[in-house]
Each structure stands twice: as structure tokens, then as C-alpha cells.
Amino acid sequence: MIVLGVESSCDETGLALYDTERGLLSHALHSQVAMHEAYGGVVPELASRDHVRRAIPLLEQVLADSHTDLSAIDAIAYTQGPGLAGALLVGASVANGLALALDKPVLGVHHLEGHLLSPLLSATPPEFPFVALLVSGGHTQLMCVDGVGAYTLLGETLDDAAGEAFDKSAKLLGLGYPGGPAISRLAEYGDPEAYQLPRPMLHAKTLDFSFSGLKTAVLTLVKNHHTHLCEQDKANIARAFVDAIVEVLVAKCLSALKQTGMKRLVIAGGVGANVQLRQSLNAAAAKKRFDVFYPELALCTDNGAMIAFAGAMRLQRDPAAARYEYAFNVRPRWPLHELQPAQTS
């Protein structure tokens, strides 16, 4: 079964073809970072318009790269939510319009489910069950994953997501947008002893997170320097910030593994590409003797491959999930716990 995946939840347009027998056939992605950089963040209207421009050329690219004809597609999966409403509508329109024209079934996919399952696309995929840390610009959650659609929330952020804290702190340091990769690179040149920032909820009994206070602490450090903040000061603050956030994320992952008794940890979402986080988790895994899995770096960001794969997994287990009705809606706010486990056919 060949599934076309369409992702358009925010500022990346992604399309991909996944074959349940041969694996990922091709995927193509266009990032809007350069367009939004001038505004310091994503402009929803601009994002939606750009998805309109990019979707069909990317479709043609994945078909050409995989030497696949449109008629060979068996089903189309698209991101139904959560995300920006206008951006979601573009992907949903493309998917449903194409499915109608081809007389193929269509399936709306939860964006976060795509991220949670994306490490299964790697060369060494994890087996169910596992603990998953979903860490991105909009979400920081710990999940117990027992199977496709079977997700139990263990803990989540009470305010800013980790990726959001990265971006906001980077902006305070004048690093521009997107800030996550920039502050991570700058931190490599910082002195770990120069500053100490708080580790919010590090010793809390719950598995919840809170990062707004950490961002405020960065703001205080910046203000204390008044108008003079040299490059080394910036690097030192970046190092303190990254060390703090990574320590919290790793500690919460270890607590989740201990509470569940599991030995497999999966990292998903854009922050999963962070070098310092991967280094710390790998060190902890070697010391505590558990296995940690990551998506391929190219699949950490939003992408069509994870949507095609998630759609294929659901259709394999529950063929009735596909529909031939092409009236659609999107769900900008869609709690993951509302998903039903996929039925085994």
C-alpha cells in the first residue's frame, strides 16, 4: 500500500510517499524560515499563501524522485491538526481534492502522532511500548506509547514549550529567528561556570515541565548587562540556558522511565535535533542502561514522511479508517488523548 502524506500545519510544506512493503519512497520539504525571519516569527497569512504555492511542485517532485505514477497511490493522509487553521486548510484541501480526483480514500492525521511515530522510520526503529518525549516549538510532553493511537500522557509543560523557550531566549540575545539552532551553536563557545540559571520543576514529584521562569531568568541576565553585552557574555548565557533546559529534560525522561519500568525512550519533535540534548541522553542511556531512539535529523522538523507513515500505520491496522467522503474540517486545537487506538485488522 502506497500512502501520500501531506503536511502543512505551520511553516513547512512537506509531501512524501510511504510504501508499507518498501518503506519511505521519497519525501520533499520546503521551509519558510527565510520568509518569516524578517518578522521574528511565523506570520500565519504568509504561511498559508506559501503552502498554496509549494504543495503541487513538491507533489511532482516526490512522484518523480520515486518514479511513481499518481494512479499508484492507494490512499492520501494529511495533517488535520493541531496547527495554524489557514495552513491546515491548504493541506486538507490539496489532499481531499486530489483524493476526489483519483477516487482514493483519505485520512486526517494528528500532527503529534506523526512526530511520535517518526523514529520508527529510522534504520533501527524502537519496538512498542516505549516512553516518548515530544519536544518542539509548541509542545513538551512525556507519553507512554503502547501502540499506534495508544498514548497515555505522563507529563507536559504548564506554560512555554521547550522550543518556545529556546526561540524566546535566543531573541533576547539578539540571535534572530529561528532561535533554537542559533542558541545551541552559540552555547558551544560558552563557559559553563559563568552563570547558573534555575532548573524549573527539576525536583517536582510530577513529570510536568515549566520553562517560562527560565526565559525570565535569561531576560534578567541580559538586563543586568545594561547596554553592553559582548559576544562572550552572550555565549555564556546561551550555555547556561542550554545546560539548564537539557538537565530538566533528561531528568524528567529518567523519572518517566523509572515510573513506568520501561527501558526504551523515544525522542520526537524539532528539539530532538539539539546536539546537547542528544549527547546528554546518550550519556544517561549508557550509564542507566536503557535504549534511546531519535528520528533521522531530516525528519525531526515537520515533514510529510511522518504523516504518510502515521497514515499507513493506521490504515494497516484499521482499513475502515479511510474514507471516500471528501467534505473536510481541520482541528487547530486537537488534544492527543482524543485519538482512538488503531484497531488490528
Side-chain angles (χ1 to χ4, degrees):
M1 177 174 57
I2 297 177
V3 178
L4 172 68
V6 181
E7 157 62 24
S8 68
S9 64
C10 189
D11 59 343
E12 278 102 9
T13 315
L15 280 88
L17 287 170
Y18 180 82
D19 189 328
T20 53
E21 294 183 0
R22 293 176 290 165
L24 184 62
L25 302 181
S26 62
H27 68 102
L29 182 73
H30 174 77
S31 173
Q32 301 174 3
V33 165
M35 180 176 66
H36 297 294
E37 187 175 8
Y39 304 95
V42 177
V43 181
E45 178 64 24
L46 294 181
S48 301
R49 292 180 181 182
D50 200 61
H51 288 309
V52 173
R53 288 192 291 267
R54 307 293 178 178
I56 299 305
L58 289 175
L59 170 63
E60 294 171 346
Q61 181 180 335
V62 297
L63 291 171
D65 289 347
S66 61
H67 305 289
T68 303
D69 189 81
L70 267 176
S71 60
I73 295 173
D74 296 301
I76 301 175
Y78 66 95
T79 303
Q80 189 176 9
L84 301 175
L88 290 168
L89 283 168
V90 176
S93 299
V94 169
N96 282 273
L98 188 59
L100 173 62
L102 298 174
D103 192 28
K104 303 291 184 179
V106 70
L107 174 69
V109 170
H110 196 294
H111 178 76
L112 300 187
E113 180 169 50
H115 275 304
L116 283 176
L117 299 180
S118 61
L120 276 71
L121 284 166
S122 64
T124 55
E127 296 180 357
F128 296 117
F130 52 78
V131 168
L133 172 67
L134 179 59
V135 57
S136 68
H139 301 86
T140 303
Q141 298 175 321
L142 276 165
M143 296 275 183
C144 178
V145 180
D146 291 310
V148 178
Y151 314 122
T152 303
L153 181 66
L154 302 175
E156 62 184 338
T157 183
L158 304 179
D159 39 58
D160 290 355
E164 187 179 2
F166 266 97
D167 286 340
K168 288 181 177 179
S169 296
K171 188 173 184 179
L172 292 172
L173 294 174
L175 300 180
Y177 172 85
I183 199 171
S184 180
R185 286 192 298 270
L186 185 60
E188 296 178 9
Y189 302 97
D191 178 0
E193 304 299 326
Y195 302 109
Q196 287 294 315
L197 290 176
R199 273 65 170 160
M201 299 189 72
L202 179 63
H203 301 294
K205 294 182 180 180
T206 71
L207 294 175
D208 291 329
F209 304 86
S210 173
F211 295 115
S212 63
L214 184 56
K215 173 201 63 183
T216 303
V218 171
L219 174 61
T220 301
L221 276 180
V222 171
K223 284 185 174 179
N224 286 344
H225 285 79
H226 303 290
T227 58
H228 180 67
L229 190 65
C230 69
E231 289 305 308
Q232 189 58 52
D233 288 330
K234 290 183 180 180
N236 293 342
I237 294 173
R239 178 61 182 269
F241 169 81
V242 172
D243 285 351
I245 207 165
V246 167
E247 183 177 341
V248 171
L249 291 173
V250 172
K252 294 289 185 175
C253 287
L254 295 180
S255 295
L257 289 169
K258 184 177 180 180
Q259 288 187 23
T260 60
M262 293 187 186
K263 291 293 184 180
R264 285 187 291 271
L265 175 68
V266 162
I267 310 300
V271 182
N274 182 271
V275 174
Q276 292 92 341
L277 177 60
R278 289 194 177 212
Q279 289 174 343
S280 294
L281 283 171
N282 289 340
K287 182 178 180 180
K288 299 291 186 178
R289 301 194 179 193
F290 63 89
D291 296 318
V292 59
F293 302 86
Y294 311 93
E296 304 295 337
L297 284 175
L299 301 182
C300 284
T301 187
D302 297 345
N303 61 86
M306 68 183 192
I307 301 304
F309 179 73
M313 293 301 97
R314 282 197 164 265
L315 292 173
Q316 269 192 312
R317 293 171 181 246
D318 183 14
R323 59 181 179 82
Y324 285 88
E325 299 171 359
Y326 304 112
F328 62 87
N329 68 325
V330 295
R331 301 188 63 180
R333 297 182 181 276
W334 187 5
L336 189 62
H337 65 78
E338 292 184 4
L339 281 181
Q340 295 298 317
Q343 302 297 317
T344 301
S345 58

